[in-house]
Each structure stands twice: as structure tokens, then as C-alpha cells.
Amino acid sequence: MTCVALSGAALAAGHAVALGGEAAPPPPPAEIRPAKPATRDDLDFRPGLLQMVTDQQSGGRFLVFTYVVANKTGKTQRFLPCFDLLFGDGSTRSAGTGVQPEVVRRLQRACASAQSLDQFQIMGDLAAGEANARDGFVVWEIPAGADLKAVTLFVTGISAAFDRQVDASGKARISRRTWTRTYRFRGSSDPALTVAGDFDQLEDRWIMR
């Protein structure tokens, strides 16, 4: 593995998840709407790096994303994030799906800071103040045949804004203010044949999803 661990300070300078089961299909374009405004209860989210690595012990390939989250609202907030990846072939996967706990620990040592919390450890109340900021990381197992040349990350749970709509059948649907970042695999190598690599960010935006 070739990851470089980053501290919370380094990331700051740069600016319901479930194991197992089938990943939800990507939302159709009609469901992606301009985001509602941020609320006073929104958290300060600071994205780090997205990296592809190979776990030497299992031989599996994974994507690892690091970040820092802080609460500057002046009151304790509940942090229950969800991280999804949309691959270039249209398939999606939620962080943690099919990833064994021992693999998560090895990838933490390789790619994240020592104080980083995984997607489950970080859930819960987040006290206000920069001193209570948390380092986090999430892991995806790379599905067979997934197109990694361009991927989009969706992060829900850092904004309190939501929208309720009723579909044609009368069923209510909740969409939440979601941060997205589009990436392109760095370099000219075919990511399907690569054991490690980095991604360049292309675009950040907020949507309702």
C-alpha cells in the first residue's frame, strides 16, 4: 500500500451506512435538483484525498477517502454521515459494503491518521468547537469491472437541509442536501490494471439527493 497518512491539521489547511446488501442504483437525472440553502446547523466538512490502494495481505483493491468534520454551530450536533460512490459505468456502492474490519484497520494505518475514526466510530454527537473536530476515513471495496476513470462521491449527513416531495403514486420522498465531488483518475494508466493511484478533483457542488 502506498498511502500517505494525513493529520487533521493538514486536511484543514486544504480547505446510514450499512455493511453488506445491495448498493442502491444511481438516482435518475430528474431526481438531482439544485440544493436548498445551508442551515445554521450545517457542519464544517473538509475533504481530504481519495486514493486507490491494494491491501497486500488480502490482495483486494480499495478506495480510501479521508476527511475532517467540525461543528461551528455553537451547540452539539448529531453526525450520521453516508458516503456513496458513483462509478463511471453507472454502478454505485456505499462505503463499507463487503469490507472486512481487519482490512479497515490495515488501511487506516496506511492511509489515515492515527486518530482517524472509521464510518461507524465517528457516528454520534459532535460537540461544538474546533477542539472537538474529528478526523474520519471511509473505505470502499472496488467492485469487479467498475469504471474508475471518473467517479463521483456523495456525502450526506453534514447538512440539516432537506426537502419532502410526493411522487405520482402519492408516496412521500425525502431528499437531503448532499455534497458531491467529481474525480478523474490521475495519469494515463488504466485504473483497472493499477494497484495504487490518486484521483484529481474536477468539481464540487451541492445537490438534493
Side-chain angles (χ1 to χ4, degrees):
M1 291 181 284
T2 59
C3 288
V4 178
L6 294 177
S7 68
L11 291 178
H15 158 228
V17 181
L19 287 175
E22 294 295 324
E31 294 186 358
I32 298 180
R33 302 184 302 280
K36 297 185 71 173
T39 75
R40 291 180 296 179
D41 292 334
D42 283 14
L43 299 174
D44 181 17
F45 183 74
R46 307 166 195 169
L49 299 177
L50 178 66
Q51 297 175 283
M52 180 177 73
V53 297
T54 297
D55 176 45
Q56 296 176 352
Q57 187 165 327
S58 67
R61 297 195 309 154
F62 300 87
L63 296 174
V64 182
F65 175 71
T66 56
Y67 65 95
V68 171
V69 62
N71 177 4
K72 297 184 176 181
T73 68
K75 59 182 179 181
T76 297
Q77 300 288 348
R78 194 76 168 163
F79 183 47
L80 299 172
C82 180
F83 298 83
D84 294 325
L85 271 182
L86 171 65
F87 298 99
D89 54 32
S91 62
T92 62
R93 177 158 290 206
S94 295
T97 301
V99 183
Q100 297 301 313
E102 57 270 23
V103 173
V104 173
R105 297 280 73 84
R106 289 196 295 268
L107 295 179
Q108 177 185 10
R109 290 191 292 269
C111 302
S113 60
Q115 68 268 28
S116 287
L117 303 175
D118 66 32
Q119 67 188 82
F120 301 110
Q121 294 170 330
I122 206 166
M123 289 181 175
D125 290 340
L126 180 59
E130 186 64 31
N132 297 307
R134 296 177 184 173
D135 288 31
F137 74 103
V138 290
V139 179
W140 294 265
E141 183 178 31
I142 298 176
D147 183 357
L148 299 176
K149 294 179 181 178
V151 298
T152 302
L153 172 62
F154 299 88
V155 183
T156 305
I158 53 180
S159 174
F162 71 95
D163 193 13
R164 182 191 299 269
Q165 290 192 331
V166 178
D167 62 22
S169 67
K171 184 178 180 180
R173 181 184 183 277
I174 301 297
S175 57
R176 303 187 184 280
R177 191 170 190 263
T178 300
W179 178 81
T180 76
R181 171 172 284 181
T182 304
Y183 295 90
R184 177 177 57 205
F185 190 74
R186 183 179 300 170
S188 58
S189 300
D190 184 350
L193 305 176
T194 305
V195 298
D198 297 317
F199 290 80
D200 294 321
Q201 64 188 61
L202 299 180
E203 179 187 22
D204 294 354
R205 62 175 177 150
W206 290 90
I207 63 171
M208 301 303 291
R209 181 175 185 262

